[in-house]
Amino acid sequence: MFDIIEIVKNRDPQEKEFHQAVTEVMESVTPVLDQNPLYRQAKIPERLVEPERAILFRVPWMDDQGVAQVNRGFRIEMNSALGPYKGGLRFHPSVNLGILKFLAFEQVFKNALTTLPMGGGKGGSDFDPKGKSDNEVMRFCHSFMCELFRHIGPNTDVPAGDIGVGAREIGYLFGMYKKLRNEFTGVLTGKGINWGGSLIRPEATGYGSVYFAAEMLATRNETLEGKICLVSGAGNVAQYTTEKLIVMGAKVVTLSDSSGYIFDETGIDQQKLDYVKVLKNVKRGRIKEYADKYSAAVYTPVDPEADHNPLWDHKADCAFPSATQNEINANDAQNLVNNGVVVVCEGANMPTTPDGVDIFLEHAMLYGPGKAANAGGVSVSGLEMTQNSMRLAWTREEVDNRLKLIMKSIHRTALEAAEQYGTPGNYVNGANIAGFVKVVDAMLDQGLV
Ligand code: NDP
Ligand code: 2IT
């Protein structure tokens, strides 16, 4: 039944994260494949797991000491059945082909769920922006784009940000693209607001994740008001998740980075969040400094030997993992259950290990998987592309209202697909099936390409 998973594992045995993402989707869609023999005849599973194109390139750059450095650049153009390839760029030392293939694969189904015309892709580099000067980051981004520019375009492939790629990096990347092509187009999203960016794009992933959580709670006639929330990460997604949770009347008590986490029992209010934004986005400091500034907070450094993450071991109602893949293992999932958490809403991509996901599903939690819950970011990227094409800029309210409608629609679509295939309330199956059907029907329409 799962031949395709064996094929993928045997072909690229080291790509563990890619195997994980493929296994989850293929398990969810098995009943769909069984009901539609045409899909297997047309080799849909085999075609979905093979990128349409994968680009690997050298990125040489000069550091501030005048020493030459070399990194690897990648762009995975996974599937263009529904539109131009679309998805972020990640700059992090852990980046490799397997991680980017998992992210590109997830992106294909996520983008299908948004209802907007976008295929799926992902890219990035093993370059580590941490500790680099602005000039070093600029030289790196310029060199990266000197190769990437020949593969992308507003109707071909439209990259955006992800871990380690924010407004600063998108600016440098756009500058070099524009110079090389001699044209000003919407080739990247997440652009600055005065040069083609969309209002609400920085906020969109975090806000969207909170809208999705509110939709899940509404199925049980509940709201976020008064809920205690655990948020991981302290970057783009974590910041705007926290911001919207504050507005909704919830209380956020944790944030983290790769060095450790802070627990603030008194709650992170807007003023403290503004401090975090400056700390992380301007000073590029560490979350530890939050505990130096606010005495109510306790900082706990990461213990690399630990079999669980203590961030997930606090009494709470909701959890918003918003840092990185596989940050919640089975022990963490069990701790969340034991601590009374009922909502897990994934701002990050694939933050829960498969055995952790099983625990959430066994306990019938309101569990929103990343490809549904964090689709708000790429949705507003899609809206940025629309505005660029029209050469118009919508107001905050216009974009935010569209974001809310899209998150509502993704929630309803996932819930209906889960119900239709006999697993009511299972958003994992629902999101995988709804995204899959939309993509593969387009692939069938377009023939064997
Ligand atoms: P940022 O770079 O802004 O922030 C990432 C945060 O996660 C930082 O606090 C970082 O800590 C932490 N982190 C990153 N890698 C690790 C790691 N290996 N171990 C522990 N902590 C880590 O990225 P974003 O907020 O944009 O992205 C966060 C997650 O959300 C990712 O999974 C991304 O794929 C996903 N996502 C992002 C979207 C977007 O629009 N930006 C859209 C949809 C999903 P440190 O600074 O110490 O590295
Ligand atoms: O994982 C994601 O959806 C993103 N990093 C955002 C992609 C985008 O094109 O806005």
Side-chain angles (χ1 to χ4, degrees), residues 242-265:
T242 302
E243 183 161 288
K244 188 53 79 174
L245 284 170
I246 295 168
V247 171
M248 302 284 237
K251 181 172 165 186
V252 177
V253 293
T254 60
L255 285 173
S256 69
D257 58 26
S258 56
S259 311
Y261 84 100
I262 56 103
F263 174 64
D264 183 347
E265 203 171 11

Side-chain angles (χ1 to χ4, degrees), residues 75 85-90 103 106-107 110-111 118-119 121-122 158-163 165 188-190 201 205 237 347-349 370-371 374-382 384-385:
R75 185 71 183 167
Y85 308 106
K86 181 83 195 85
L89 296 171
R90 177 176 291 191
L103 288 163
E106 292 282 287
Q107 198 82 46
K110 181 196 304 190
N111 293 3
M118 299 182 289
K122 202 87 186 189
V158 184
D162 192 80
I163 291 176
V165 177
L188 292 162
T189 59
R201 177 61 190 89
T205 311
V237 181
N349 284 305
K371 69 170 72 66
N374 72 38
V378 75
S379 298
V380 175
S381 278
E384 182 171 327
M385 290 165 70

Side-chain angles (χ1 to χ4, degrees), residues 57-127:
F57 52 100
R58 177 171 67 199
V59 189
W61 58 281
M62 193 71 80
D63 71 17
D64 286 347
Q65 283 69 49
V67 178
Q69 303 286 342
V70 181
N71 285 94
R72 265 191 176 172
F74 304 85
R75 185 71 183 167
I76 313 298
E77 297 182 335
M78 201 72 187
N79 193 302
S80 61
L82 295 178
Y85 308 106
K86 181 83 195 85
L89 296 171
R90 177 176 291 191
F91 291 169
H92 192 273
S94 64
V95 161
N96 59 40
L97 201 53
I99 287 184
L100 294 180
K101 278 173 68 181
F102 119 63
L103 288 163
F105 186 76
E106 292 282 287
Q107 198 82 46
V108 171
F109 306 105
K110 181 196 304 190
N111 293 3
L113 287 169
T114 66
T115 71
L116 302 172
M118 299 182 289
K122 202 87 186 189
S125 174
D126 58 0
F127 173 75

